Amino acid sequence: MPTIGPLVAYPLTPRGEDGRLLTSSFEQLVDSAISAGANAVGVLGSTGGFAYMPRSARKRITRSAVEVADGRAPVIVGVGALSTAEVLANLAEAHSVGASGALLQPMAYQPLTFDEIYGLYKDASAATEIPLWVYNNPSTTGHRFSVEQLTKIGRLSAVAGFKDRAANATDAKDRMDRIAAAMPPRTARQIDWGFSGDGHGAQVLLAGATAWHSGLAGVLPEICVAIAQAATSGHAPHARVLQRQLTPLSIIVRQYGGIRTAHSIAQMLGLDAGELPRPLAPLPADARTLVRMALEGISVPDAPMPEEAAARQADDVVAVEKAEAEKIVVETRAAAVPADAAEPEDPAGPADAAELVAEPPAVQESAVVDAAKGTGTDTGASTGTDEVAGAAPGTTAPELTIEEPEPEPEPEPEPEP
């Protein structure tokens, strides 16, 4: 099985109001992702609306993607379903039209025990003729895989890798290290360590993951390819600077879901994205405005040339330090705002971004606007140990001047009653 990282792009599946596949639009998305440099394409994923897809359309969608890919990149197909029998049928169908691998999550209406989940993967492993990726998506399945559970499933013969979830880079590295330590060394070396999450692709790749699974890469492949290439070629600061451009959109994805966000982006980019499967509705008008603002803030610079790597990294460090300095100015000015007017802190703590309790739209919109203006913080947490990595040895960071906010006039005392 060819490697599928560092970037797996998951395109939308455009369909008409009558449910028919808009073949031309779908093929355009697949081709654009591969042409931009995505290493693999995942169809019939969450962004691709697999759960709303009739069986009659699945085979046609997979075949179309395989034909467009034409050997340029592997095609991974979502095969999740409520029953084992349907999963096995989906696996056989995917293999019959040339898919390179399958993505399987434990779908359930009745909550599943881990013994039942393990039985599903064991049956799939025994029956499949293509490799399996284990998909940990607790927000839709209701099951969060523990390290011990992934370790056990990862030993099955057909399992090629994971599409895991992590709260941040530290959590991702901890999960990978613990699973690898509990596996036979040969098995651990062969596992494809993948993570999803549009807001912290650079961070998980820098932490050692071999694949970043991204829904936004299905509609914005150029910026996602640039992030993945920078993160895997020794340009950590550059990767983080690029990743920050996706912060506004990742907040919208967290609030409204990937399929709605990708649908709106595709429309704004001039693609016939069709209709979302009902009862899903498009993003509300205010959220669409925020998406448009976020798109205007995305710019993909040329990839740094090898001989320019050190200089470019040093420039990235300056950019990061400047952004942090500007943030200090903003926060200093914000300190003058009355306490009761400040936004509440996120009470959820370091939880999986997809599992955070949705904040009120006003709070989310404020965060998106701040991020689009460059004053917000990065939603993908970093380890904080290499924000200034890559500067030439002995280089002293330039002194940054932080302007002090102008003092506000003292309010006149109110008269005594």
Side-chain angles (χ1 to χ4, degrees):
M1 171 66 200
T3 179
I4 64 169
L7 178 66
V8 185
Y10 288 79
L12 192 71
T13 309
R15 290 191 289 166
E17 192 172 356
D18 58 358
R20 63 185 175 82
L21 175 67
L22 300 181
T23 306
S24 177
S25 296
F26 176 68
E27 292 180 348
Q28 183 178 337
L29 287 169
V30 174
D31 183 67
S32 295
I34 297 173
S35 298
N39 305 92
V41 172
V43 299
L44 294 172
S46 299
T47 301
F50 82 95
Y52 305 93
M53 202 64 62
R55 288 237 6 153
S56 58
R58 294 182 60 93
K59 189 173 184 178
R60 185 165 68 255
I61 291 166
T62 305
R63 180 188 289 115
S64 179
V66 170
E67 290 175 353
V68 172
D70 192 25
R72 294 179 294 163
V75 174
I76 310 300
V77 182
V79 296
L82 291 177
S83 70
T84 299
E86 192 167 1
V87 167
L88 299 185
N90 290 342
L91 278 168
E93 192 173 76
H95 174 258
S96 71
V97 295
S100 302
L103 184 70
L104 176 59
Q105 70 274 63
M107 298 295 295
Y109 177 76
Q110 296 292 338
L112 299 176
T113 67
F114 178 66
D115 286 343
E116 292 168 332
I117 292 171
Y118 181 75
L120 167 67
Y121 283 97
K122 185 177 180 180
D123 290 343
S125 179
T128 186
E129 297 184 68
I130 55 178
L132 287 176
W133 271 258
V134 182
Y135 187 8
N136 182 15
N137 189 4
S139 63
T140 57
T141 65
H143 181 82
R144 183 186 298 274
F145 282 102
S146 68
V147 164
E148 293 74 21
Q149 291 171 351
L150 285 182
T151 300
K152 183 174 181 178
I153 294 174
R155 292 193 181 102
L156 294 171
S157 60
V159 173
F162 305 127
K163 181 182 177 182
D164 201 0
R165 301 287 297 187
N168 50 43
T170 303
D171 185 31
K173 187 175 189 312
D174 178 70
R175 289 177 70 84
M176 288 186 289
D177 289 347
R178 291 168 60 196
I179 294 171
M183 280 183 168
R186 182 179 177 183
T187 303
R189 286 193 300 269
Q190 294 174 342
I191 285 289
D192 180 59
W193 303 94
F195 287 85
S196 58
D198 290 309
H200 48 234
Q203 287 79 4
V204 297
L205 289 172
L206 291 169
T210 54
W212 170 32
H213 297 254
S214 170
L216 286 180
V219 284
L220 296 171
E222 290 83 4
I223 181 65
C224 294
V225 167
I227 292 168
Q229 289 180 346
T232 55
S233 60
H235 298 83
H238 187 58
R240 288 196 176 94
V241 169
L242 292 173
Q243 180 70 63
R244 286 184 175 92
Q245 295 188 36
L246 292 185
T247 296
L249 290 175
S250 68
I251 294 173
I252 296 169
V253 167
R254 187 175 69 188
Q255 176 74 1
Y256 294 100
I259 188 171
R260 296 184 185 92
T261 307
H263 181 263
S264 289
I265 292 172
Q267 288 182 324
M268 292 176 190
L269 296 179
L271 184 81
D272 181 6
E275 303 290 330
L276 288 172
R278 293 183 178 179
L280 296 183
L283 289 179
D286 54 353
R288 287 178 60 85
T289 299
L290 296 174
V291 169
R292 188 171 287 106
M293 290 175 59
L295 291 177
E296 291 172 354
I298 292 177
S299 174
V300 185
D302 293 334
M305 299 297 290
E307 62 270 21
E308 300 172 347
R312 290 295 181 93
Q313 284 191 2
D315 289 343
D316 287 337
V317 171
V318 173
V320 171
E321 291 176 338
K322 181 179 178 182
E324 292 299 322
E326 291 173 351
K327 176 186 168 187
I328 293 171
V329 172
V330 172
E331 290 176 342
T332 304
R333 287 174 175 164
V337 178
D340 57 356
E343 291 184 2
E345 294 184 359
D346 181 4
D352 188 339
E355 294 299 288
L356 294 176
V357 177
E359 298 169 345
V363 176
Q364 289 281 7
E365 290 167 16
S366 174
V368 174
V369 172
D370 287 346
K373 291 179 179 178
T375 59
T377 56
D378 186 2
T379 56
S382 69
T383 60
T385 60
D386 54 1
E387 279 292 340
V388 295
T395 299
T396 302
E399 183 176 349
L400 298 173
T401 302
I402 303 174
E403 66 178 278
E404 293 292 335
E406 296 181 5
E408 297 188 7
E410 291 289 337
E412 297 182 3
E414 295 182 1
E416 293 290 333

